[in-house]
Amino acid sequence: MRQAATQTLAISPYLIVFVLYASMVEVGILNYQKALVQYAGYNAWMAIPITGIGMHLVIWMIYRICSSNGGTDVIEINQRYFGSWIGRALNAAIVCYFAFGAFITFRVYLALIQYMLFPEINLVFISAIIAILLYYTVSGGFRSIAGLCFWGVLCSFAFVVPLNLLGLNYLHPQNLFPLWNHSAAEQLLSAKSMVFSFTGIETLLIYYPFIQTPEKSKKWAHWTVLLVTVYYLITALLTFMYYSEGQLQKVIWPTLHRVALIKLPLIQRVEYLVISILLVKIMASIALGLWSACRGAKYSLRMNQPVALMLFLSGFLIVVAFVKNEIMIKQMADFYASVGFYFLFAYIPFLFVLTLFKKTPSRNYTKE
């Protein structure tokens, strides 16, 4: 039986705030409002708390699943519950899911650079530079990634959040009225579309053994989900009060465009600053997804972790060369969103139900 993380490789319980936040708030924060309003219009802001409640349930189930299995991760749990062959097949699918999620974030950020900053940039060249930085970060292990998450979240709160609060004089609160002119079914469809913005939370299934005294981290995890829900809610309300529904459909990156209209004395193009700062947090999110995929590959596919990382990053560079237009990126993102929804609200509840009926294994599980 493999070993879990030693105390020197694990993080303190409160640091889960930064890891979870970085995994949930990424490049999607710039345009999630467009998908959100498709079903419930500007009443869709009510769907965000609904999704937040769903995420609290997911967190609660993940803690119950992992703690009931001796503090191990989903890779070993699958093999315990489903046997060697089916367990390995499920683990291989999870490895692909995490790697694909990391690639989606990677590619969308490249599209952002190309659209907002340098339309003629060579994507393969900039991809190679980011890939080298990602290799260096992921090779450093989970604590290095947690450190990057810390700085990414800190930069976000120190620069990006205050910029969002500028321009409050241009808001139109009447855009939010009438408050209820959509059905409950439409609100639920909006809540489903919002799930994509929270994907990344499921990486907790992999790094759970790397948390010192996981039970103490549970309250921090729930506080983080609440914080992220409030952040998404405030950003959506600000966007809805700034744009009419017709204007919102014509803007590609609503959050960024709103910030770009702000002119500071020394910085005329504020979006350049925002996109540059955002790189730190995006890197943290991608690194966490890649690390999860590599760790899964190590134990389910018997693959050396550095080799797996090299393969994934090489795959990123190859696919970037072929995925060149927005339609392909959107199709891939929509597919990932669908898989992520069922991962969170079908697979994890299924594991939870199995956990309730399975015997708790003897606690001879040691840490790596």
Side-chain angles (χ1 to χ4, degrees):
M1 186 177 292
R2 78 164 186 275
Q3 300 173 334
T6 62
Q7 295 298 302
T8 56
L9 296 177
I11 61 172
S12 299
Y14 73 91
L15 287 176
I16 196 175
V17 172
F18 302 99
V19 180
L20 267 181
Y21 186 93
S23 65
M24 288 189 283
V25 181
E26 46 185 54
V27 74
I29 187 68
L30 300 178
N31 66 350
Y32 72 100
Q33 303 95 327
K34 290 171 68 71
L36 188 63
V37 301
Q38 283 183 352
Y39 302 102
Y42 274 11
N43 285 168
W45 62 268
M46 302 178 194
I48 298 176
I50 297 173
T51 310
I53 293 170
M55 292 303 134
H56 280 290
L57 289 173
V58 168
I59 284 285
W60 176 71
M61 286 189 284
I62 289 176
Y63 271 90
R64 181 66 182 273
I65 292 166
C66 293
S67 63
S68 298
N69 282 278
T72 188
D73 57 30
V74 70
I75 301 300
E76 181 151 336
I77 292 171
N78 277 336
Q79 295 196 14
R80 284 180 184 175
Y81 286 0
F82 304 107
S84 178
W85 287 99
I86 298 178
R88 284 179 187 276
L90 280 173
N91 289 335
I94 289 174
V95 168
C96 294
Y97 170 76
F98 284 134
F100 187 53
F103 174 76
I104 292 296
T105 306
F106 182 81
R107 186 62 186 87
V108 172
Y109 185 72
L110 290 177
L112 179 65
I113 293 176
Q114 191 173 34
Y115 180 80
M116 296 295 295
L117 303 184
F118 310 110
E120 303 299 327
I121 195 171
N122 185 329
L123 286 183
V124 176
F125 173 72
I126 190 71
S127 301
I129 293 175
I130 297 177
I132 292 170
L133 294 175
L134 285 170
Y135 182 85
Y136 177 77
T137 304
V138 178
S139 299
F142 182 69
R143 286 172 66 93
S144 296
I145 296 170
L148 189 63
C149 291
F150 172 82
W151 287 111
V153 174
L154 203 64
C155 290
S156 173
F157 276 94
F159 296 99
V160 179
V161 173
L163 285 173
N164 265 291
L165 298 179
L166 294 176
L168 293 180
N169 294 334
Y170 302 102
L171 301 182
H172 304 283
Q174 64 270 24
N175 288 357
L176 302 177
F177 297 98
L179 282 179
W180 191 272
N181 58 353
H182 291 84
S183 65
E186 289 170 327
Q187 289 287 358
L188 290 176
L189 286 172
S190 289
K192 182 183 177 184
S193 73
M194 190 65 204
V195 170
F196 175 60
S197 300
F198 284 87
T199 50
I201 194 173
E202 64 277 14
T203 49
L204 175 59
L205 282 165
I206 298 290
Y207 64 76
Y208 183 91
F210 285 79
I211 305 171
Q212 297 170 3
T213 55
E215 279 303 309
K216 291 184 179 177
S217 71
K218 189 188 296 182
K219 64 179 181 184
W220 294 109
H222 283 289
W223 278 114
T224 308
V225 171
L226 179 62
L227 173 67
V228 171
T229 304
V230 171
Y231 183 42
Y232 275 126
L233 181 60
I234 291 175
T235 306
L237 287 172
L238 291 175
T239 303
F240 293 170
M241 287 189 283
Y242 192 86
Y243 299 102
S244 68
E245 284 196 49
Q247 288 173 327
L248 184 60
Q249 293 305 322
K250 295 177 182 176
V251 178
I252 298 177
W253 308 94
T255 306
L256 193 59
H257 277 285
R258 187 163 52 80
V259 172
L261 295 175
I262 299 168
K263 304 299 179 187
L264 299 178
L266 298 178
I267 306 173
Q268 287 295 309
R269 300 294 300 272
V270 178
E271 68 271 25
Y272 278 50
L273 176 66
V274 173
I275 294 172
S276 303
I277 292 172
L278 195 61
L279 174 63
V280 182
K281 192 146 69 65
I282 297 301
M283 285 268 299
S285 175
I286 299 171
L288 186 61
L290 274 174
W291 179 86
S292 301
C294 291
R295 185 164 174 81
K298 177 180 178 181
Y299 288 108
S300 63
L301 306 177
R302 303 285 184 246
M303 189 180 291
N304 186 282
Q305 211 156 331
V307 173
L309 179 57
M310 287 292 293
L311 286 176
F312 287 134
L313 289 174
S314 301
F316 281 17
L317 297 180
I318 293 170
V319 179
V320 162
F322 291 98
V323 180
K324 293 184 175 179
N325 59 61
E326 292 178 9
I327 296 175
M328 293 179 70
I329 297 172
K330 187 176 185 312
Q331 288 173 340
M332 294 175 76
D334 288 345
F335 175 72
Y336 173 71
S338 298
V339 176
F341 177 81
Y342 290 108
F343 191 102
L344 291 173
F345 291 105
Y347 172 68
I348 290 177
F350 181 59
L351 277 185
F352 175 75
V353 172
L354 286 180
T355 300
L356 295 179
F357 293 98
K358 286 276 186 182
K359 280 186 177 180
T360 302
S362 58
R363 189 65 179 90
N364 58 352
Y365 186 76
T366 53
K367 295 196 166 189
E368 180 182 8

